[in-house]
Amino acid sequence: MTTEGAEERLARHLGVVTRQAMEVAAPFTNGPRTPEVLERIVAGLFAYEDLTKRALVDALARDPKCLPVCAPGCAFCCHLSVFASVPELLHLARHLRATLDAPALAAKASAITAAAAAIRELDQAGRAAAKRACPLLDEGSGRCGVYAARPLACRAYNSCDASVCEKAFVDARVRWDMPVDLFQLTVGRNVRTGLAAAIAAAGLDPGPYELAAGLAVALTTPDAEARWLAGEPIFAAAETRIGRERRDAWREAFARAATDAP
């Protein structure tokens, strides 16, 4: 008889995250495709992602030297290329409309559209050199302006050494070695993969698209959510150079997730 170790328990747990995320999204795949159903699914997946991370923290011992040090005001990662699925982009657009008055929403949409235009044809090196902040960042405080509605990529990203993040930012690095909490990183990525796989299986465009470019479409395209739900490829206008380079690999990953998840 063998005793299952921590690494085996972690692998087993993470092995079902994508499938469970797909199950959360199943009502959208198998039932009515309405904005209300989509919003419940995104909210449910955010809650599931948080619950799963907490369960892993409670179940598995971790080296206290490699726990996330991320905190309000530390915003080096808010200058990176961030991608979000279409449901997450629509959720963010809905959040902004619900929390900003008309003048503030118009100003924010303008800033997002400008950011989208500035990054559209940048490659990874150009993106790092530009050091352009996410248009949702409050640069005065260094805080995320939509923290409660932030996408899964932001929820997953973390660092155990802020000095590494700072050096990568200052040096405009494209790749660097950074100690991370793999629990947080992997759970967030797998949940997003499950969501995207379920959306793709429903015959719709799952994305992901770069945050500013996708959000610009969601905020400025008339009836964006209804048109996307009807199968119209409106987010094709949000494609960027980096997205084009990664698109085929993402599609393959979503197709595998739909068939291989346990």
Side-chain angles (χ1 to χ4, degrees), residues 4 16 26 34 60 62 65 72 86 95-96 106 108 118 132 138 143 167 189 191 204 207 258 260:
E4 186 179 49
V16 301
T34 67
L60 302 173
R62 297 186 293 173
K65 294 180 181 179
V86 172
H95 175 83
L96 289 170
K108 182 60 66 177
R132 190 173 185 109
D138 180 344
R143 291 173 177 266
K167 184 168 180 55
R189 286 180 174 176
V191 170
L204 297 178
D260 294 347

Side-chain angles (χ1 to χ4, degrees), residues 180-244:
V180 298
D181 177 358
L182 284 174
F183 295 172
Q184 181 170 328
L185 185 69
T186 308
V187 167
R189 286 180 174 176
N190 286 6
V191 170
R192 190 182 74 174
T193 296
L195 170 61
I199 296 301
L204 297 178
D205 174 18
Y209 294 99
E210 285 206 63
L211 186 58
L215 194 50
V217 171
L219 285 172
T220 64
T221 303
D223 302 319
E225 189 167 40
R227 291 168 65 180
W228 176 77
L229 287 168
E232 193 174 334
I234 64 167
F235 282 91
E239 194 64 278
T240 58
R241 178 173 177 175
I242 296 173
R244 288 194 300 271

Side-chain angles (χ1 to χ4, degrees), residues 110-174:
S110 178
I112 291 168
T113 300
I119 67 171
R120 190 173 303 281
E121 293 304 322
L122 294 180
D123 59 11
Q124 289 279 29
R127 190 79 169 83
K131 293 183 170 63
R132 190 173 185 109
C134 172
L136 300 174
L137 177 70
D138 180 344
E139 295 195 66
S141 66
R143 291 173 177 266
C144 174
V146 292
Y147 189 77
R150 70 198 187 282
L152 288 161
C154 300
R155 294 167 188 263
Y157 198 86
N158 68 91
S159 171
C160 302
D161 188 341
S163 67
V164 175
C165 303
E166 182 176 13
K167 184 168 180 55
F169 173 77
V170 171
D171 295 346
R173 295 185 180 182
V174 174

Side-chain angles (χ1 to χ4, degrees), residues 15-24 48 190 194 257-262:
V16 301
V17 167
T18 298
R19 173 59 63 186
Q20 290 180 341
M22 291 180 68
E23 290 173 354
V24 173
Y48 169 72
N190 286 6
T259 57
D260 294 347

